[in-house]
Structures are given as C-alpha cells and as structure tokens.
Amino acid sequence: MRLFSSKLYCEDVKYVANIDLPWEKLQNNSILLSGATGQFGSFLTDVIMYRNKKGLNCKVYALGRNEEKAKKRFDYCAESEYFEFIKYDINEPLITENIDKIGYVIHLASNTHPVQYASNPIGTIITNIIGVKNMLDYCVEHHADGFAFASSNEVYGENRGDVELFDELYCGYIDCNTMRAGYPESKRCGEALCQAYISQKGLDVVIPRFTRSFGPTLLQSDTKASSQFIHKALAGEDIVLKSDGTQYYSYTYTADAVAGLLFVLLKGECGSSYNIASSSCDVMLKDLALKIANCCDKKVIFEIPEELESAGYSCATKARLSGNKLQSLGWMPKFDLSTGIERTIRILKNNQNMEGIKA
C-alpha cells in the first residue's frame, strides 16, 4: 500500500489511533464495514489495523463490490487474522457464514459523487435506502452492539437565511420534485429508517453527519468539486471552477472526519445525529480552489459546466455546519483547511512518485 510510504499519512493514521477514546468497546470485538475501500472506510480500516498491532484484536470485516481493488488497497492485511474482505453488493441482503455475533456495523457505502447523482439517479436512491435497510437487518439478525449510519450535510437542504450555522435540528428547503433531490431525500429517509429500527427493533444507532471532505484517501473516480480541484492540480493542470465560486461550505480533512466518526460510534447517544464539522475549515469554493492551486503553482480558470455535470450539483449556496454537539463528546479537529490541503497534496504527490518508481 503506497500511501504508507508517506510519513505524513502514517502520522495521520497514528494520530487518530492514539486519540483518547473508549477503545475497550472494540477490544476483542469486531467491526463490519460497508464502503471499506472508500475515502473514510479505507482510512478507518488503517486505523483499526494499526491499533491491532498494539493488542486491540478487533476483526475488520470489509465489505465491497470490487475484490481486486480491495486486495490492492489492503495488501498489507493479507496475512492478518483480524482482516477479512467480503465481496458484497449493498443492494442485496447480506448473508455471512460463520458469523453469529457482530460487534459494530458502520454503513458508509453510498453514491456520493455529483456525476453519479445525474447519470444514475435511480441507483442513487435505491442504494441509499435499500442499502441501509440491509445493514440494519443484518444488525438485528447478528445482535450487533451498535450501528453507525453515515449521513450527510445534504439532509439540511438549502439555507433559508435564518441561521449562519446548521445545528442538528435544522431543516432547510429541498425541492423533492427534482432529479437532484434523490441524494438528500434518500439520506433523510435513511435516517428515518434508523429511528424506526431503534423504536421497533431496539437497535443502538448513531448518525454521524459528514460534511464535504477531502484528504489523501479520495478516490480517482470522485467527481466532487474539491476532489476535481486536487486531481487537476496533481496532474499539473490549472484548476477549473465551473461557477462563480461563492458557495460557502464546511469541509473536513479525512483524518478529522474519521476521528469524528469514532467519537460518535463509541461515545454518541443512541438515536442522536452529530455534525462532523469545524469552522476552521469553512471556505468559499473559489478560495478553496485558489488554496489548492497555490500548493501546486497552478491557476484557477472559470468554465461553464456540461449539462450532465451541472445536473448533479448541489443548489445550496451556503451550507456551514455547527460542530458544537460533537465537540461536547470531546472531539476537536486537529487540521485546519490550509494544513489539510497541504498534507493531502504532499501525500498524493508522494504516492504518484511511488507509482512512477513501480512503473
């Protein structure tokens, strides 16, 4: 795994793995993780596997559709008794052999890219709703200790102009009669389904709400604006901004986001949602593009988006989240926006260099 050739990436993993948390809940236990090769799932797996070296003894069941991709990403886990990949399509009921009891289930799998929203709106909705139902059913059947459903800042909809920061009780406007509404509405439905399973099945469920995130584990296929900026800059190209860039959003560096997820999983209250966000990473899109461009000595240019791209874009012009509730559990972000961007670029440049050496 070439990410581990980066000292900075190893520092990120060790930082999260050494945070003061009730790790004893995972001691000699297990985690079943959907979306294991994704941005958050892969980093979380690295954190758990690092702690396993120190005697955590927590088995990671990593779910994913692409076995070849998983083997490449987790090649360092191949001989570990604490890692097992399970090939699985989230739209199907999950059936596992030789697993009677599971510890924690973390559901991260989802269509999370704007082009996917536009090109496969049906699949986006079905994956988000059916996927969480399948994971919840698995929890019930296997008597899970707890379940975490990865929700999104998109559940808040558009800012009505009445608040500066969204807290967990805010509910903004979403026009459900649009194609783009499929993602936020299905995430809202997923949260409602979690509440139903708490009430009817007695599950212990927490809901981390991720905001827009960036970091070295982003996927090459990721079409979110921040990811496209980073891909362009690393390719030695100018960054293309396909709007006026005045959208004002919260962002989170991957290491801080996964740390927040662990705080919610291990310390959160059943039935509660928690924003994983910090004002230190709030920025307008044009300023984010400029920061990334400056890291790679590139420029920002403006371009009209293609029809398919623009159809998948969020309509929200301001979506800043309050992280106060999560901070009450003890979480504090370590990385501000500039530091996170610099680390991301340096780690991915190192990864590019290692790819070149291997080639």
Side-chain angles (χ1 to χ4, degrees):
M1 237 306 290
R2 283 174 292 279
L3 277 175
F4 283 107
S5 69
S6 166
K7 180 182 177 182
L8 290 179
Y9 184 74
C10 293
E11 287 177 357
D12 285 355
V13 171
K14 291 176 183 178
Y15 159 67
V16 177
N18 288 320
I19 292 175
D20 184 16
L21 282 166
W23 293 102
E24 63 273 10
K25 291 185 177 182
L26 300 179
Q27 185 73 43
N28 302 315
N29 208 336
S30 60
I31 288 177
L32 185 136
L33 178 65
S34 73
T37 59
Q39 181 178 355
F40 299 137
S42 59
F43 188 91
L44 176 60
T45 298
D46 293 340
V47 169
I48 299 300
M49 295 305 292
Y50 176 82
R51 282 202 68 97
N52 281 339
K53 294 178 181 179
K54 297 186 174 184
L56 185 66
N57 301 339
C58 180
K59 180 75 173 273
V60 176
Y61 294 99
L63 306 181
R65 291 178 296 178
N66 191 324
E67 187 170 4
E68 182 178 349
K69 179 180 178 181
K71 284 182 177 179
K72 182 178 180 181
R73 177 60 178 82
F74 302 118
D75 56 356
Y76 75 98
C77 301
E79 303 301 322
S80 175
E81 64 180 301
Y82 296 111
F83 180 86
E84 181 178 334
F85 175 76
I86 300 174
K87 187 175 182 180
Y88 172 60
D89 182 343
I90 199 69
N91 293 303
E92 302 294 332
L94 177 58
I95 300 173
T96 56
E97 299 178 358
N98 304 320
I99 301 179
D100 296 322
K101 174 74 171 65
I102 200 73
Y104 291 87
V105 174
I106 304 176
H107 180 44
L108 296 170
S110 175
N111 283 354
T112 58
H113 314 315
V115 170
Q116 289 180 323
Y117 307 156
S119 62
N120 187 18
I122 296 174
T124 296
I125 296 170
I126 296 301
T127 296
N128 280 347
I129 297 176
I130 299 301
V132 68
K133 178 186 182 299
N134 288 333
M135 291 291 95
L136 287 164
D137 285 338
Y138 186 87
C139 285
V140 172
E141 182 179 355
H142 292 268
H143 312 288
D145 297 331
F147 178 81
F149 170 55
S151 190
S152 166
N153 59 271
E154 296 237 16
V155 300
Y156 295 112
E158 296 183 44
N159 192 315
R160 300 191 303 262
D162 52 344
V163 297
E164 186 63 29
L165 300 175
F166 298 158
D167 65 18
E168 287 76 5
L169 298 179
Y170 190 80
C171 189
Y173 172 74
I174 295 176
D175 183 356
C176 61
N177 290 309
T178 64
M179 180 279 298
R180 181 56 177 77
Y183 182 77
E185 292 285 28
S186 57
K187 280 295 187 181
R188 283 184 171 184
C189 183
E191 290 198 16
L193 198 56
C194 287
Q195 299 297 337
Y197 273 75
I198 292 170
S199 175
Q200 196 168 334
K201 301 292 185 179
L203 280 184
D204 188 343
V205 180
V206 290
I207 303 171
R209 288 177 179 162
F210 290 94
T211 191
R212 294 165 174 83
S213 301
F214 64 93
T217 54
L218 63 86
L219 302 179
Q220 193 65 36
S221 59
D222 193 336
T223 58
K224 293 193 293 291
S226 59
S227 300
Q228 290 191 64
F229 297 165
I230 292 169
H231 291 323
K232 284 281 189 182
L234 288 171
E237 302 175 21
D238 290 331
I239 289 177
V240 178
L241 189 57
K242 299 187 177 183
S243 69
D244 61 6
T246 56
Q247 303 94 318
Y248 196 10
Y249 297 147
S250 292
Y251 290 85
T252 317
Y253 183 60
T254 297
D256 280 333
V258 172
L261 168 61
L262 285 165
F263 269 90
V264 176
L265 179 72
L266 300 176
K267 299 184 73 174
E269 180 182 354
C270 178
S272 288
S273 56
Y274 297 84
N275 292 336
I276 302 179
S278 165
S279 59
S280 65
C281 285
D282 290 357
V283 66
M284 284 191 178
L285 196 61
K286 61 182 180 180
D287 296 325
L288 175 66
L290 185 60
K291 282 180 177 289
I292 294 171
N294 287 340
C295 278
C296 297
D297 296 321
K298 296 284 110 181
K299 297 183 298 183
V300 177
I301 59 176
F302 293 83
E303 183 178 293
I304 298 174
E306 296 178 0
E307 184 177 353
L308 181 63
E309 288 180 299
S310 60
Y313 291 169
S314 170
C315 295
T317 56
K318 181 186 283 189
R320 299 179 62 211
L321 277 59
S322 167
N324 290 342
K325 186 175 180 181
L326 180 58
Q327 289 177 23
S328 72
L329 298 182
W331 176 84
M332 289 295 294
K334 179 179 176 65
F335 305 96
D336 62 19
L337 185 69
S338 295
T339 304
I341 289 172
E342 291 169 4
R343 293 178 79 86
T344 299
I345 297 296
R346 288 176 62 186
I347 292 169
L348 290 177
K349 277 186 175 179
N350 176 81
N351 203 41
Q352 282 184 336
N353 294 334
M354 294 302 296
E355 291 276 5
I357 292 172
K358 183 178 179 181

